[in-house]
Amino acid sequence: MIVPKEKKAFWCTIPVHLPFGQSTKINQVEFADGNSAEKVGRMLKYNLTDNNQNVLHYKEITAKMDCYSNNFVDFTVASTTALLDIVDIRPKVIYASQLGATRTEKNERLVDLCKAVGGNTYIADSGGANYINENIF
């Protein structure tokens, strides 16, 4: 198990660049600078290297993240699956682009994506109340 040395949650924010402005697709988002993986690595090292087990986890995670230093989606999938792997959770990663959802209206697209993976529940944070039309779910 990963236990931060201060035993509290920690947050890492990395600036991103939208090459096509607001019309940039999520798989086109890039990190604003070329050393984002290094920044996350330093943050993890600071928070996770207080015992030998965490040092091993830190090395595993950063090795997987270093492969994806500029693409936001690739990096976040690699880092998330690396963290989950440590606790023996190995999810099947499915990209929305693989599911053939063609509707572009946000609510309809969410419904299509949920149905495509056999889901019957969509969980969103409190911000979802600003854009989700619950009636179509």
Side-chain angles (χ1 to χ4, degrees), residues 12 17 32 37 42 44 54 61-62 82 116 119 122 126:
C12 179
H17 169 65
R42 284 194 311 265
L44 288 172
N54 282 347
I61 295 165
T62 54
Y122 180 76
S126 59

Side-chain angles (χ1 to χ4, degrees), residues 23-28 73 94-119 121-122 131-137:
S23 65
T24 302
K25 294 181 179 179
I26 189 75
N27 63 350
Q28 298 169 320
V73 170
I94 302 171
Y95 295 91
S97 59
Q98 298 171 306
L99 299 176
T102 57
R103 296 197 287 182
T104 57
E105 195 280 320
K106 292 177 183 179
N107 285 282
E108 293 171 345
R109 185 167 174 80
L110 283 174
V111 171
D112 291 347
L113 293 172
C114 288
K115 287 180 180 177
V117 295
T121 304
Y122 180 76
Y131 69 89
I132 294 176
N133 176 358
E134 294 182 35
N135 296 327
I136 68 169
F137 281 86

Side-chain angles (χ1 to χ4, degrees), residues 7-8 14 21 23-24 30-31 33 58 62 64 81 85 87 90 92 94-95 118 123 131 136:
K7 302 209 178 356
K8 62 181 182 178
I14 301 173
S23 65
T24 302
E30 301 170 348
F31 290 115
D33 57 46
Y58 159 75
T62 54
K64 291 177 184 175
T81 55
D85 192 50
V87 291
R90 291 171 186 83
K92 179 179 180 182
I94 302 171
Y95 295 91
I123 300 172
Y131 69 89
I136 68 169

Side-chain angles (χ1 to χ4, degrees), residues 28-76:
Q28 298 169 320
V29 174
E30 301 170 348
F31 290 115
D33 57 46
N35 62 350
S36 295
E38 183 182 324
K39 286 180 182 179
V40 173
R42 284 194 311 265
M43 181 268 308
L44 288 172
K45 186 174 185 178
Y46 172 78
N47 283 284
L48 300 179
T49 56
D50 63 328
N51 66 52
N52 289 338
Q53 190 65 32
N54 282 347
V55 169
L56 293 175
H57 294 323
Y58 159 75
K59 289 178 182 179
E60 291 173 37
I61 295 165
T62 54
K64 291 177 184 175
M65 290 184 332
D66 283 343
C67 301
Y68 305 101
S69 60
N70 199 41
N71 181 278
F72 174 77
V73 170
D74 292 341
F75 182 85
T76 54

